[in-house]
Amino acid sequence: MEYQNRLQGRDPLMGLPSGFRSYVKQRKDMESARLSGNGLPNYAFAMDYELRKKLDSIPQLYSLGKKICGTVASRYMQMYNREALLVGPDQFPEVYQIGCDCAKRLGIGIPNIYIINDQTLNAYTYAMDDVEPIIVVHSGLYERFTLGELRCVIGHECGHIHNQHGVYNMLAQLLLVGGLAAAGGALSAQILQLLTMSSQVALSAWSRAAEVTCDRAGMICCEQEEDAYQVNAKLMYGAALGEHTVNLEALRRQLEMQMGNMARLDELLASHPSSVRRIVAEMEFAECEVFYRWRPELKKPGQVMRSRQETDERCRRFVDVMKKG
Ligand SMILES: [Zn+2]
């Protein structure tokens, strides 16, 4: 599967008035400066692309996934329309505004955002090639997160759309994420039986890498990178006891303990890296020059700055559960 711009080879600016033409050209130049050689955004984690290519080479996985997800997505979208609240300029306008801001920053269309009555701290995206993407935010997350943290969450979800994670992301959620797999019921169980164990491991490994990409999108959309760390910390401690400042050095020590233990292999079939791994990977991105190409105003005096390649190598060590560290 190619992730290159499908419009390549045509001149989409033909026939437009010259002022608008130069505006569109400027936007296109800006967008292409933010794409890497493989057609994906320049902030995408290298393992996301590498492991996605592996998934593409598994016979039938994409076509089967597309059929299943198409059916499930239309059913779920009707369910959300019936049972969840669609935000808009006159419905939870602060959440709608965050969706607009994130979409504008990443250069994607404004997504439909639903809030659903569920106390678990979660948010997810349904995005297929031919269906308008939707983002679902659980009420528990909406209640316990600050607006700054919610911005990171919605930015993360917009990242799934921006990086064309579509079918594989939905498949991973349906099969691997507890609550959603349960909601998918018998269908999820049947699909799982169709996949070999090695395909499940490959899908999980890609999904974890894709989450790192989207945490970076969340940071690109955030007001301050500390909000992104706090989001993942709240996923650990639940945020029920109010605001706490996360001790980042203590978290690094916690990760070293995790990586040195064979129990890390329990994560082989996890759809998301553990929150500690995610926070440390985010801290690496806060020292990456790509982050400051998107957000130059967040640069601090004496800022450590590494190339994306070096950042990705360092993140690989934290994210790959097969590695002892
Ligand atoms: Zn995600």
Side-chain angles (χ1 to χ4, degrees), residues 156-157 160 211 214 272:
H156 171 109
E157 297 307 325
H160 282 302
E211 292 305 319
C214 293
H272 288 61

Side-chain angles (χ1 to χ4, degrees), residues 21-304:
R21 219 162 40 218
S22 71
Y23 164 76
V24 176
K25 185 175 179 317
Q26 214 177 3
R27 283 245 7 153
K28 267 187 79 70
D29 289 348
M30 201 172 83
E31 278 166 24
S32 59
R34 290 175 171 182
L35 290 177
S36 55
N38 53 25
L40 291 176
N42 62 355
Y43 62 83
F45 181 32
M47 277 178 83
D48 172 353
Y49 181 71
E50 291 162 17
L51 295 174
R52 204 180 324 178
K53 282 282 161 201
K54 278 195 186 164
L55 292 183
D56 290 344
S57 70
I58 298 175
Q60 310 282 323
L61 184 66
Y62 184 81
S63 54
L64 181 71
K66 195 167 179 202
K67 273 192 205 133
I68 294 163
C69 293
T71 313
V72 173
S74 62
R75 206 169 77 193
Y76 275 22
M77 282 180 196
Q78 285 169 21
M79 184 193 82
Y80 290 121
N81 254 327
R82 200 172 54 235
E83 294 174 13
L85 184 97
L86 175 62
V87 308
D90 48 9
Q91 187 76 282
F92 286 51
E94 75 285 11
V95 181
Y96 177 74
Q97 190 55 49
I98 289 175
C100 293
D101 295 347
C102 295
K104 188 173 171 205
R105 175 148 293 150
L106 296 176
I108 60 170
I110 298 170
N112 285 324
I113 301 176
Y114 288 89
I115 300 180
I116 194 162
N117 181 13
D118 189 319
Q119 280 303 308
T120 49
L121 301 183
N122 207 356
Y124 34 87
T125 300
Y126 295 106
M128 303 269 297
D129 299 344
D130 37 12
V131 184
E132 231 181 299
I134 66 166
I135 293 175
V136 181
V137 176
H138 284 192
S139 55
L141 189 145
Y142 172 72
E143 286 163 14
R144 292 193 208 167
F145 282 37
T146 64
L147 284 178
E149 291 157 3
L150 188 61
R151 186 175 287 274
C152 295
V153 171
I154 291 176
H156 171 109
E157 297 307 325
C158 287
H160 282 302
I161 300 168
H162 192 207
N163 286 271
Q164 304 168 44
H165 285 161
V167 169
Y168 291 142
N169 183 45
M170 263 192 79
L171 205 53
Q173 289 185 59
L174 276 176
L175 303 182
L176 309 170
V177 178
L180 288 177
L187 185 62
S188 297
Q190 278 166 7
I191 307 165
L192 265 181
Q193 281 173 358
L194 288 174
L195 293 184
T196 60
M197 182 51 85
S198 65
S199 304
Q200 290 178 44
V201 169
L203 182 64
S204 314
W206 168 76
S207 177
R208 291 193 298 274
E211 292 305 319
V212 173
T213 295
C214 293
D215 280 344
R216 293 177 179 183
M219 289 173 72
I220 285 169
C221 295
C222 73
E223 284 163 357
Q224 47 177 10
E225 61 264 38
E226 288 77 11
D227 285 340
Y229 311 149
Q230 193 63 29
V231 163
N232 275 310
K234 282 190 172 178
L235 295 180
M236 298 167 81
Y237 75 83
L241 302 174
E243 296 303 312
H244 290 270
T245 309
V246 191
N247 181 333
L248 297 175
E249 280 319 303
L251 271 180
R252 273 192 191 276
R253 288 197 299 276
Q254 193 175 336
L255 178 59
E256 294 300 329
M257 254 159 40
Q258 224 178 85
M259 287 168 66
N261 191 308
M262 284 304 280
R264 69 183 183 278
L265 295 181
D266 286 344
E267 294 176 63
L268 262 187
L269 285 177
S271 62
H272 288 61
S274 67
S275 291
V276 184
R277 290 182 190 276
R278 290 175 72 174
I279 295 171
V280 174
E282 286 174 338
M283 285 160 69
E284 291 294 337
F285 190 58
E287 297 182 342
C288 178
E289 55 95 13
V290 173
F291 179 46
Y292 298 101
R293 265 199 258 164
W294 287 83
R295 303 297 305 274
E297 72 281 12
L298 293 180
K299 204 186 289 179
K300 299 181 179 75
Q303 179 67 57
V304 176

